[in-house]
Amino acid sequence: MKTDIKTLLEIKRLHEQYVKEVEHSGIKPLSIEIYKSHSKNFVRWIDGDFVPGGKLRRILEDNMLKEQKESVI
């Protein structure tokens, strides 16, 4: 966690408010989803539950391991 629990709870409360404002802003549905997912990932990062590029990094590592195994065979 990148902050204390009290601050994290306040961030989460404010994020809920932000999401409601985004949903009622009149922007396009795809834009709404992008705003929501990016901000959710930021809150998850603060909470220690998200690593930027983490999924991509795992895919690349898995592919490297697969290539190494294939070159040994």
Side-chain angles (χ1 to χ4, degrees):
M1 185 180 323
K2 309 249 187 278
T3 190
D4 59 89
I5 191 69
K6 182 179 176 184
T7 304
L8 180 61
L9 291 173
E10 179 65 5
I11 289 169
K12 287 182 176 186
R13 184 190 70 75
L14 289 168
H15 181 257
E16 288 177 18
Q17 181 181 341
Y18 171 79
V19 167
K20 288 176 185 174
E21 287 186 30
V22 167
E23 290 174 339
H24 295 94
S25 67
I27 60 177
K28 294 180 181 180
L30 180 58
S31 295
I32 290 172
E33 292 308 311
I34 292 169
Y35 277 59
K36 288 169 51 176
S37 67
H38 289 194
S39 62
K40 180 180 178 184
N41 287 340
F42 177 68
V43 174
R44 288 178 56 213
W45 174 79
I46 293 169
D47 196 16
D49 187 38
F50 178 80
V51 176
K55 183 177 180 180
L56 176 60
R57 199 172 298 131
R58 282 192 303 274
I59 291 170
L60 292 173
E61 288 171 356
D62 289 348
N63 288 341
M64 286 176 56
L65 287 173
K66 183 179 177 182
E67 288 175 7
Q68 289 174 349
K69 288 179 183 178
E70 289 174 354
S71 67
V72 172
I73 298 175

